[in-house]
Amino acid sequence: MVQTRLSEYEAEAWEALRAGALGRALAIGVYILEHYPQALGAHLLVGEVLRCSGYVDRARDFLLRTLSADPEALPAYAGLSRLAAVGRDMEGANWHAERAFELAPWDPRGREWLRRMQARRDGLEHRRIYLTRAALARLWAASGSLWRARLELESLLCRVPQRL
């Protein structure tokens, strides 16, 4: 019997999703969750397939489950931002896009998406995206300047104590 690694099976499902084979991707994701109900990658995958298929509420549920287990799941924030944008909830779309941007402020795709969401929300084109304290802390940490990152995060928590 041939055994396939879970990561290989997930990769196959993501490839099916990129190719537009939503049914195949969903079938693989559901199969994985039947056997490994705590597989975060499968929750994210199923959420993305459902988002692409137009099942907004179910997609949101799977993406939020992913975030509840991994608050740094950037693709889940990006998916939630897209769901909110489709539903014309520009505040929600912007909020989730900003969280995704904070996780990877060096990613030009995230920066561009945030810029577009801010433009749609505000009704005017923004030339720049300014770093939030969390994004700046992420950049400081990535550069090895941990004390600066800590200062930014402490400042953020003083202003928004309930922030994760």
Side-chain angles (χ1 to χ4, degrees):
M1 171 185 264
V2 176
Q3 290 192 353
T4 305
R5 290 183 172 181
L6 181 58
S7 60
E8 293 170 358
Y9 210 37
E10 272 187 24
E12 181 183 336
W14 283 106
E15 187 57 41
L17 176 61
R18 279 189 286 282
L22 300 178
R24 173 125 177 89
L26 183 61
I28 293 172
V30 168
Y31 180 82
I32 292 171
L33 288 176
E34 285 175 357
H35 293 85
Y36 302 98
Q38 295 179 342
L40 277 182
H43 279 91
L44 179 62
L45 169 72
V46 170
E48 280 298 303
V49 171
L50 292 171
R51 183 186 65 78
C52 292
S53 301
Y55 294 100
V56 174
D57 292 332
R58 296 186 115 177
R60 184 178 297 111
D61 181 47
F62 275 92
L63 295 173
L64 288 172
R65 282 186 209 176
T66 303
L67 284 175
S68 71
D70 179 8
E72 292 197 351
L74 188 146
Y77 281 118
L80 287 167
S81 178
R82 286 180 171 80
L83 281 174
V86 167
R88 304 271 189 246
D89 172 15
M90 296 319 299
E91 281 300 320
N94 190 67
W95 190 88
H96 288 293
E98 196 169 87
R99 298 300 78 76
F101 171 69
E102 289 174 348
L103 290 171
W106 47 81
D107 183 3
R109 293 173 304 168
R111 179 174 291 140
E112 178 58 25
W113 177 256
L114 177 58
R115 195 177 65 71
R116 286 176 42 207
M117 291 302 97
Q118 287 179 345
R120 283 181 63 188
R121 180 194 65 193
D122 300 340
L124 61 115
E125 196 69 29
H126 295 277
R127 287 180 156 181
R128 300 189 160 166
I129 297 298
Y130 293 97
L131 293 174
T132 63
R133 290 207 176 272
L136 186 55
R138 183 73 61 162
L139 288 172
W140 284 126
S143 72
S145 195
L146 299 181
W147 67 273
R148 286 184 172 141
R150 179 181 171 202
L151 288 175
E152 291 298 334
L153 292 173
E154 285 174 349
S155 176
L156 173 63
L157 286 175
C158 284
R159 290 187 181 150
V160 188
Q162 71 277 12
R163 175 82 190 267
L164 288 177

